[in-house]
Amino acid sequence: MSVVNFFDRFRGTSVRSLTERRPRSVAGQVFVLQVALVVLLVLGAVLALLLQSRYDSDREARNRSVAVAQSFAHAPGLLEVLEQPDPAEVLQPLAEAARKKAGVDFIVIMDTNGIRYSHPLPERIGQRFVGTIEPSLAGQVITERIEGGPLGDEVQAVVPVTNPEGEVVALVSAGLKVQNVTGVVNQQLPLILGISAAGLAAATAGTALVTRRLRRQTHGLGPAEMTRVYEHHDAVLHAVREGVVIVGGDGRLVLANDEAERLLKLPPDAEGQHIEELPGLDPRMADLLASGRVATDEVVPAAGRLLACNQRPTDPFGGPGGTVVTIRDTTELRALSGRAQVARKRLNLLYDAGVGIGTTLDVVRTAEELADVAVPRFADYVTVDLADPVLRGEEPSGTSTDMRRTASRGIRDDHPLYPVGRMIAFVSSSPQARGFGSGRAELVPDLSHAPGWHAQDRETTAAIVAYGIHSLITVPLQARGVVLGVANFWRSEKPEPFEEEDVALAEELVARAAVAIDNARRYTREHAMAVTLQRSLLPRALPEQSAVEVAHRYLPAQSGVGGDWFDVIPLPGSRVALVVGDVVGHGLHAAASMGRLRTAVHNFSTLDLPPDELLGRLDDLVGRVDQDEAASDGGAGVPGGAGAGMTGATCLYAVYDPVTRRCAMARAGHPMPALVHPGGHVEFPDLPAGPPLGLGGIPFETTELELAEGSQLVFYTDGLIEERTRDIDVGLELLRQSLAYPDRTPEESCRAVLEALLPAHPKDDVALLIARTRSLGPGQIADWDVPFHPGAVAGIRAAATERLDAWGLSDMAFTTELVLSELITNAIRYGSAPVHVRLIHDRVLTCEVADGSSTSPHLRYAATTDEGGRGLFLVSQLSERWGTRYTAQGKVIWAEQQLPGSPAYDAGRGAEFLFDGLDALDADPI
């Protein structure tokens, strides 16, 4: 809105609104103000008259008192009366008669000591006079005002009475009371008030007429409103950033505000001068002002500026003839708009940098994000060079300026800058080396005149200059006082070189990126450490076994490794244990806890425990570990963090026997496994869930399943089926659909499951184990029921030898006979019926002797003088390993021997000479 329009609206709309809001109060206030002024003037006049009358009356009273006193003092015969013995008798009646005739209130004659000879109150005669008599004793005439005299407040005069020789022989005092003096004035006051009332009435009538005229002229505005209008007028006129010039009808300058004086460079005394006579006014502007024509946003060059002018005549608005002109400086407006646009672009760039840099915890990607944000809004080309240790998650060490180009972005792809991945050894004179060493940004306005930069690679730098890249800013990537690398901003399209303001913006961009790169570097280091730890704790290669065909996957989470793990553990009798577990949390602690649990499962599996008993022992172990850590941390452990326990860990433990094709499973808070039948049907066996490990108090339960050969057991952790964007039932259904292809191998099934269920960047780590079951045919197994008497041993040995010959293991016959003899004899002598013997021909030769007793054999080392006690010792020496497992019917003692051709078998054959010619040995006591 222009200034003219502002005043038009203020004078029209604003005044009318004020008048409509208060149509009568303004005039009434003016009237009351005028009446109040008249009343004040009248009161002032009355007060002045009262004061003047009081002064005149007081003066008249003093003159009268002096005159009466002097007349009485010079009365004939007064001196003779004073010489009489009792002057008071003569003077009292004379004084009273004179007082009444003179119109005074008292005449007192006294001697030189002030003793009265007369007084209006006879009882006062003979008393001392109240007043000052010393000046009168010296021959002076005095007047004074006495407050609290015998007659009240008095005005009195004291005149000396002298003898012919001039000596004062007596004093005469005459006076009036004050109330009698003012009483004279009161008699004149009604006249004064009457005249004042008439004047007040005339003033009131005149004020009313003036008030009505003012009301018409000011449109009902009061003094406060009029004052505010003119104050606002001056404030707006001189404070607005728009020049205002008013030219009269005679062509003279009537008004110019401060902005107009600045823009037109007018002298201080310009107002009142003719437009054509103003010194320094541009002729084109003078022509416009003098023409009086209407102009709208007409641009006029003046005083080195481009001024937009609007000119209108003042006649239509009720003012005197002339024109009003408003002037705007479009030159400054354009410059200011350009600066604001630049500032806005920089703020947007910094905002985008804050949002777009550091979206991942990847060092290379963060460097690329910095380059993406800066091109092309800030620079035409951006390259980021990082010290090689930073890419590995380490801090730069030493003062080496060797850096690897990590990111490169530009408006074109055919630039001659070093490519990504190149190791660059910057020379000490280059801006990159100087910035890397000092930690401060380096500005090179003109690359063609930068010898230090050219010294890096003269051929390449010449190609860069010839390409058109002419300016460079190098900013070190610095975080926590450590310089990680440098970011280079190159300019080619804009002819202007980089400036200091650009350096500040580049430093701000790089500072944000440096923090993100340092965070990514530290994450890379910790992630690499955690992954290395977890990879070392997970099985690197699954052991050889014949029970199942296995495929597995482990995928760490995007945010870091966790505690997911799996294992395949061969057990005696060609059986195999399949294990999957999950430790709550992520990071090094979760990985370390996982390693402890995996080791514990391995140790417990050597005891050949049923799944429920193994989970029970694992639960006790986790509880003890948590108690120990809570005691050491004072109870301040944080779940999943450093110092936290393992409570909440889950585990699924299964044992599959390829001889019986039975699988025993138990789980501790872990997701249910999936079972894929050979026909393609997929089900989730309803295993008792059991509590997570570490809670204690609730027993675990084992479930046994009989599996057809070729069935697939699928074990997984919750990260496979649980996702924030879907329900867990949806995940299970997707798993079911991806597994419903029985012809796939376990490896193909692993690939299909991960593709169907996992996003590109999983939030949780995933462990997946798929095992396809196998079975041992009848030709690989031989078993016999043994009569419960020692004579049955020989028959079993013969049957075993015959079966070994059929298997092509005749070389193992003698050792196997010896082992079976010792185990069967011990079972008959120290166990209970029934006794059963089984030979399993697999990767090893397993001899199993089962009986109905649960007593455990004990290996002894017999002395040289002992007759027995060497049986189990011989079994342990001739076998690769041996042990005991317990069943619902009793126990099984087993011993494994390596097959011919294995190194262990060849190493053990030297012991056979010890037993040549022996048919049997006594069994050891248990």
Side-chain angles (χ1 to χ4, degrees), residues 366-515:
T366 304
E368 293 174 348
E369 290 172 346
L370 169 61
D372 292 337
V373 167
V375 176
R377 290 189 288 175
F378 177 66
D380 298 319
Y381 298 92
V382 174
T383 57
V384 180
D385 305 322
L386 297 177
D388 224 24
V390 175
L391 300 174
R392 300 191 301 267
E394 304 170 2
E395 287 189 0
S397 58
T399 59
S400 175
T401 57
D402 294 354
M403 287 175 276
R404 188 176 300 278
R405 180 133 300 173
T406 308
S408 178
R409 292 290 186 276
I411 57 176
R412 294 171 57 183
D413 297 332
D414 58 347
H415 57 81
L417 299 172
Y418 289 139
V420 173
R422 177 165 176 172
M423 194 69 180
I424 308 172
F426 290 104
V427 298
S428 59
S429 61
S430 64
Q432 290 83 355
R434 293 197 303 269
F436 187 86
S438 64
R440 295 188 297 271
E442 294 285 334
L443 171 63
V444 184
D446 189 357
L447 289 175
S448 62
H449 297 83
W453 177 67
H454 283 283
Q456 173 66 39
D457 185 346
R458 295 191 179 278
E459 182 178 353
T460 302
T461 55
I464 292 175
V465 173
Y467 185 77
I469 299 177
H470 58 82
S471 187
L472 166 67
I473 295 178
T474 295
V475 183
L477 286 153
Q478 188 171 2
R480 300 180 298 105
V482 178
V483 179
L484 308 175
V486 293
N488 308 296
F489 301 90
W490 314 82
R491 176 171 288 181
S492 63
E493 292 296 316
K494 294 182 180 179
E496 302 85 4
F498 283 119
E499 301 175 350
E500 291 296 335
E501 293 183 358
D502 299 318
V503 174
L505 178 58
E507 288 177 335
E508 183 68 22
L509 283 174
V510 173
R512 300 188 181 197
V515 174

Side-chain angles (χ1 to χ4, degrees), residues 612-659:
D612 56 341
E613 292 187 23
L614 186 141
L615 291 181
R617 297 201 180 190
L618 200 61
D619 180 69
D620 294 338
L621 174 64
V622 172
R624 289 196 302 271
V625 170
D626 287 344
Q627 291 177 2
D628 294 341
E629 293 192 359
S632 62
D633 295 345
V638 180
M646 292 186 288
T647 299
T650 64
C651 183
L652 172 61
Y653 186 83
V655 176
Y656 173 69
D657 188 348
V659 177

Side-chain angles (χ1 to χ4, degrees), residues 329-348 494 499 501-502:
D329 186 358
T330 60
T331 305
E332 292 187 359
L333 181 61
R334 292 176 182 176
L336 181 61
S337 176
R339 290 195 297 269
Q341 186 176 5
V342 171
R344 183 171 60 254
K345 288 182 178 179
R346 293 189 172 186
L347 286 176
N348 291 338
K494 294 182 180 179
E499 301 175 350
E501 293 183 358
D502 299 318

